[in-house]
Amino acid sequence: MPASQSAAVQTPQTYQPRIFSGIQPSGGLTLGNYLGALKRFVEKQDEGIETIYCMVDMHAITVWQDPAKLRQQTREGAAAFIAAGIDPSRSILFNQSQVSAHAELGWIFSCIARMGWMSRMTQWKDKTAGKNAEAASLGLFAYPALMAADILAYKATMVPVGEDQKQHLELTRDIAIKFNNDYGVDFFPVVEPLIEGAATRVMSLRDGTKKMSKSDPSDQSRINLTDDADTIATKIRKSKTDPLPLPETVDGLKDRPEARNLVNIYAALAGHTVDQVVADFAGAQFGTFKPALADLAVAKLSPITTEMNRLMQDPAEIDRILGHGADRAAALADPILEQVYDITGMIRSRRR
Ligand code: AMP
Ligand code: TRP
């Protein structure tokens, strides 16, 4: 039966707890992605909440991507998820373009969101700063509408992300609220950002005021999940610091962005609080702290890298996992999308 006859507009409802998050396959994953996102994705899965994780390939092409590299990075991202502990039989793991509900709902949200909302996004402003904004893709501008669709296609209620995504999630809430108000329904949940832990914003190893990013031109600025043990140790040893020893209290890290970053990384990798790490290393020189951090980073990351490399030997198996995840994702998203079409007045009478 077409949705127009079956989907009753919903009345106030409680939403089932469901987690969604995504990572762009626009480069190799970094320690920032691992601590700010992946590690926490695994924790959420292990808490027993329904978890849906996505390689957002459609977001990646808002800036130019070489097709062969995009494919490789999508598989590598999926391998990183699995190597870090995502179990594709418990979590749903897939790539965005295989589930058309994302693009379809993204269009509808492009008609809900306002130009003004989009132009206030700091990520848009940063990505076009000093460049010709006229030459940026329309997709880059509309990016947050697609992101809202990623989340709301599943009526996800919680979204674990790093600090940099906070504003996009506020926009997702605004879109949900405006959709509900415009159509007089209580359909989409107002999502809750989960921005937690010591490493919600891992900074560049070369500049403590800049985010560690897969797109930074300097490879020395980041630790990649594909780096071997020697590379990790060298990057940490050479990371920018100041000449002072580590302070006695967390307050002493104020105005020392590079020192604070390394301490935060240590805390997040060790699963300790920042206070604990400061207490353990009070008064230590970087000559002592950096090798300890390098050992810890290698101990935590090497098993993931090794497993990623093993999984990458069999790309067909990764594609199979992504396809299976996409089937499960579509089974959740498609009925929600049908209801959206019904609410918005689209006729859906085609036989399929
Ligand atoms: P992206 O690589 O931009 O697709 O980001 C994927 C996820 O990793 C998002 O949740 C980001 O907030 C998170 N993330 C990216 N870079 C960092 C960073 N330097 N520190 C903490 N989280 C990050
Ligand atoms: N915009 C996010 C980033 O760059 C990636 C992303 C796309 C995402 N869709 C999402 C994150 C949905 C969380 C939920 O990091």
Side-chain angles (χ1 to χ4, degrees):
M1 185 191 301
S4 56
Q5 289 165 38
S6 65
V9 167
Q10 311 206 346
T11 48
Q13 52 182 286
T14 46
Y15 299 91
Q16 153 186 2
R18 185 176 273 173
I19 286 183
F20 182 95
S21 198
I23 295 192
Q24 295 191 66
S26 50
L29 298 189
T30 69
L31 179 67
N33 293 130
Y34 176 65
L35 294 176
L38 264 187
K39 184 167 181 285
R40 295 173 44 237
F41 296 175
V42 176
E43 289 161 6
K44 295 296 164 200
Q45 166 192 273
D46 293 346
E47 285 168 22
I49 310 171
E50 187 179 10
T51 41
I52 308 172
Y53 297 126
C54 184
M55 294 307 298
V56 291
D57 45 10
M58 310 257 282
H59 274 105
I61 60 163
T62 55
V63 297
W64 168 252
Q65 301 294 332
D66 174 80
K69 271 199 198 149
L70 179 63
R71 216 168 275 131
Q72 165 84 4
Q73 287 160 3
T74 303
R75 291 184 181 126
E76 215 170 80
F81 272 84
I82 299 167
I86 294 299
D87 171 356
S89 66
R90 282 194 283 157
S91 293
I92 294 181
L93 177 62
F94 70 109
N95 59 308
Q96 187 186 27
S97 58
Q98 295 210 69
V99 179
S100 62
H102 293 245
E104 293 178 56
L105 188 58
W107 174 257
I108 292 177
F109 286 168
S110 287
C111 302
I112 298 287
R114 307 288 95 181
M115 298 280 284
W117 300 2
M118 298 300 186
S119 42
R120 283 191 286 278
M121 292 295 109
T122 52
Q123 193 158 307
W124 160 255
K125 289 197 257 183
D126 290 349
K127 285 195 173 168
T128 51
K131 294 184 204 140
N132 179 9
E134 299 273 310
S137 74
L138 184 56
L140 188 66
F141 188 67
Y143 180 116
L146 181 59
M147 178 162 163
D150 296 340
I151 299 164
L152 295 175
Y154 303 92
K155 294 192 179 182
T157 55
M158 290 170 285
V159 184
V161 281
E163 178 69 35
D164 60 334
Q165 295 304 311
K166 194 167 175 219
Q167 199 189 23
H168 286 158
L169 291 182
E170 281 160 9
L171 191 115
T172 300
R173 293 161 70 99
D174 290 342
I175 288 179
I177 292 168
K178 189 170 190 305
F179 181 94
N180 288 348
N181 284 341
D182 285 356
Y183 290 103
V185 291
D186 182 11
F187 189 72
F188 285 121
V190 176
V191 296
E192 191 191 329
L194 301 178
I195 303 172
E196 310 154 319
T200 55
R201 191 167 169 83
V202 176
M203 308 310 279
S204 156
L205 297 179
R206 309 302 306 164
D207 176 352
T209 63
K210 252 173 66 183
K211 187 182 81 162
M212 182 182 285
S213 164
K214 56 180 80 140
S215 58
D216 193 310
S218 160
D219 192 58
Q220 296 301 311
S221 71
R222 64 177 160 262
I223 291 171
N224 306 299
L225 287 189
T226 47
D227 286 344
D228 62 23
D230 283 348
T231 311
I232 295 176
T234 309
K235 284 179 176 175
I236 291 177
R237 189 159 40 78
K238 292 197 174 157
S239 64
K240 185 176 167 201
T241 38
D242 56 43
L244 302 174
L246 286 171
E248 312 278 329
T249 64
V250 175
D251 268 359
L253 289 171
K254 241 176 65 196
D255 305 323
R256 297 179 63 187
E258 284 84 14
R260 193 178 56 210
N261 186 38
L262 295 185
V263 169
N264 284 348
I265 292 174
Y266 192 105
L269 282 171
H272 293 163
T273 63
V274 176
D275 289 280
Q276 227 172 323
V277 178
V278 170
D280 288 349
F281 288 93
Q285 300 290 339
F286 282 106
T288 309
F289 181 70
K290 281 179 170 179
L293 176 59
D295 285 349
L296 176 64
V298 168
K300 296 286 178 183
L301 300 180
S302 285
I304 299 176
T305 311
T306 307
E307 179 61 4
M308 252 174 92
N309 290 339
R310 191 189 68 78
L311 292 164
M312 285 300 285
Q313 301 295 310
D314 190 355
E317 173 62 9
I318 296 180
D319 293 0
R320 194 196 60 76
I321 291 171
L322 291 173
H324 176 64
D327 283 342
R328 291 169 64 205
L332 295 175
D334 289 349
I336 293 175
L337 183 68
E338 286 306 322
Q339 287 180 296
V340 172
Y341 281 133
D342 185 47
I343 290 169
T344 51
M346 313 272 176
I347 293 170
R348 306 285 286 172
S349 52
R350 185 178 150 218
R351 276 175 199 281
R352 278 192 284 197

